[in-house]
Amino acid sequence: MFRVEHITLREIRLPLKEPFRISSGVVSDRRICLLELTDADGIVAWSECVAGEKPNYSAETIDTAWLAIEAWLAPRVFGTSFDDALAVFPVLDHNVVGHQMAKAAIEMGCWDLAARQLGIPLSRLLGGTRDRVATGISIGIQSDPDKLVQRARAAYDAGYRKIKVKIQPGADVEYVGAVRKALGPSVHLMADANSAYTLDDTEHLAKLDALDLIMIEQPLGRDDLVRHAALQRQLTTPICLDESITSVERAEDMIALSSGRIINIKPGRVGGFAVSKAIHDVCELNAIPVWCGGMLESGIGRAHNVALASLPNFQLPGDLSPSARYWERDIVTPEWTMDAEGMVHVPLDRPGIGVDVDMDRVDALTVRRLELGHASAIAR
Ligand code: OSB
Ligand code: MG
């Protein structure tokens, strides 16, 4: 049983080491919303809202999430006693359409709170069984194939167990082909289009089949489950859905329609851990492998993703790069690292997310802050 008494919302700005370009946009300075949740006993938990600055990946942005949390979502949890963390999502979801990333931020913070209260690692509260999780890298769109090959080679040498290359029309078959040629046939290679194509591109996308990719992620639009099914019938490469899967029902639809054969689970995209676990379970029943995606998280969001990726059906390497891939310095200690085998270790030696938040650094990076609590919820 737990009760959230207070949430401090903060926005920090964290500059990426280098801009990250995908087909729908580019980001260089990450605007990140952090939640610090406190319960009645003074236990403090953390979470991160993964919404970006612009609505290019989904309809949400950090500003819409901030509003949703302040106005509609946080007031629902204050003063409510929850039997367990699974009970939080239905309360946030009832009669609030969308805003999955805002819901997830609160919900995942509640999971950390529950784990800390029980004195167990977040991974284990979620049902995780692994001690280490395999890591892949997601490489943004580069100016030419040679640059991409350089990046991919460096990642392969560093030990990454999967190399994902962002693609868009004009930077696809030739680019990925150059990487396949340079790194050889055994490297686990994939491409992510972030919805950059339509069914008119079927013939062109089918050229990727010759490159023996482990999957192609989200080639078509987020609402295009039927069209993805048509495309999948024309490809030997498995389609993996990302943007399209926003709920358990969408995962079931993908399976029923054969719109794809793999799912990238991002807890932020689906409203948090309860839904992530349900998607994990439905996929396991249907022999659909899943892996944990990333949204350029800070060390706090990464902690949540690593905990989720320790569940059994996370069979493929996740987008869980170490801190140093993104930031000069992360906001947690220890920072996230990867061993020479491309594995990230699941922190199992302490309760909750398993890393400490560097408060001095967070304070220094904070550009806005809002205190939300039980009293203000009643006043509203
Ligand atoms: O499609 O997976 C994606 C980042 C921002 C928005 C969408 C995506 C991504 C990534 C980043 O691929 C993966 C990472 O966090 O390393
Ligand atoms: Mg993706």
Side-chain angles (χ1 to χ4, degrees):
M1 184 97 97
F2 66 91
R3 227 170 61 186
V4 182
E5 290 290 312
H6 190 91
I7 298 177
T8 302
L9 265 187
R10 290 182 180 83
E11 177 182 339
I12 62 164
R13 306 259 164 120
L14 205 52
L16 284 161
K17 276 186 176 173
E18 57 176 33
F20 188 77
R21 181 177 296 280
I22 67 177
S23 64
S24 59
V26 61
V27 51
S28 16
D29 226 359
R30 193 79 173 85
R31 293 177 58 195
I32 299 175
C33 171
L34 299 177
L35 277 68
E36 181 184 7
L37 304 90
T38 313
D39 78 354
D41 300 321
I43 298 178
V44 173
W46 287 87
S47 63
E48 170 171 344
C49 180
V50 300
E53 183 168 4
K54 303 213 174 86
N56 58 314
Y57 170 83
S58 77
E60 288 186 271
T61 70
I62 178 169
D63 298 302
T64 69
W66 189 282
L67 171 69
I69 291 169
E70 178 186 5
W72 308 305
L73 299 173
R76 292 191 172 198
V77 298
F78 294 132
T80 305
S81 289
F82 293 105
D83 285 340
D84 57 41
L86 277 174
V88 177
F89 179 74
V91 168
L92 297 173
D93 199 49
H94 183 67
N95 289 343
V96 175
V97 179
H99 299 284
Q100 306 308 70
M101 292 174 180
K103 290 171 187 167
I106 294 182
E107 198 250 16
M108 293 161 77
C110 287
W111 279 85
D112 183 29
L113 197 59
R116 291 183 199 238
Q117 200 195 51
L118 294 166
I120 60 173
L122 177 60
S123 155
R124 294 319 188 232
L125 182 61
L126 286 166
T129 51
R130 299 169 197 274
D131 300 347
R132 307 192 309 165
V133 296
T135 296
I137 192 171
S138 173
I139 304 178
I141 295 167
Q142 304 292 314
S143 53
D144 58 74
D146 286 348
K147 281 231 175 58
L148 178 62
V149 167
Q150 271 175 32
R151 289 299 155 94
R153 194 190 297 281
Y156 182 61
D157 291 344
Y160 282 104
R161 299 171 81 100
K162 182 186 83 183
I163 294 178
K164 159 168 145 180
V165 168
K166 293 289 185 177
I167 58 168
Q168 66 183 14
D172 47 35
V173 179
E174 188 196 351
Y175 282 60
V176 186
V179 176
R180 174 56 87 207
K181 192 158 169 241
L183 297 186
S186 63
V187 175
H188 288 314
L189 188 61
M190 63 173 291
D192 185 357
N194 290 107
S195 301
Y197 299 90
T198 71
L199 270 185
D200 292 344
D201 301 309
T202 302
E203 227 173 281
H204 183 67
L205 289 171
K207 293 180 192 156
L208 291 170
D209 279 342
L211 300 177
D212 199 23
L213 305 182
I214 55 175
M215 69 192 96
I216 173 172
E217 185 175 338
Q218 198 70 39
L220 309 180
R222 52 186 278 116
D223 295 327
D224 286 353
L225 282 179
V226 172
R227 290 175 186 81
H228 273 112
L231 179 63
Q232 182 68 90
R233 286 195 290 275
Q234 302 296 316
L235 299 180
T236 54
T237 308
I239 290 176
C240 167
L241 294 182
D242 173 354
E243 283 91 330
S244 293
I245 307 301
T246 52
S247 63
V248 193
E249 291 76 15
R250 287 298 84 70
E252 290 169 350
D253 294 350
M254 182 202 90
I255 295 167
L257 295 166
S258 302
S259 313
R261 301 185 191 142
I262 300 172
I263 290 179
N264 161 344
I265 299 182
K266 295 177 181 173
R269 191 192 63 225
V270 303
F273 283 142
V275 179
S276 296
K277 275 168 61 64
I279 293 174
H280 166 276
D281 293 351
V282 92
C283 285
E284 191 164 47
L285 275 175
N286 288 277
I288 300 281
V290 304
W291 54 281
C292 185
M295 291 292 288
L296 310 173
E297 287 90 349
S298 79
I300 294 174
R302 190 153 318 282
H304 287 271
N305 287 351
V306 167
L308 181 65
S310 71
L311 270 71
N313 193 35
F314 281 81
Q315 296 182 31
L316 295 158
D319 285 345
L320 302 163
S321 297
S323 303
R325 145 100 178 109
Y326 310 94
W327 327 109
E328 288 301 338
R329 208 174 114 208
D330 208 332
I331 58 169
V332 298
T333 44
E335 296 203 13
W336 290 95
T337 56
M338 168 178 95
D339 67 23
E341 293 171 329
M343 305 294 281
V344 174
H345 294 241
V346 182
L348 295 171
D349 57 344
R350 52 181 138 160
I353 60 171
V355 286
D356 287 323
V357 177
D358 181 344
M359 282 313 298
D360 290 341
R361 181 145 170 77
V362 167
D363 283 341
L365 294 167
T366 297
V367 295
R368 72 175 152 152
R369 179 182 164 132
L370 182 65
E371 306 294 340
L372 301 169
H374 195 182
S376 60
I378 289 168
R380 190 179 291 107

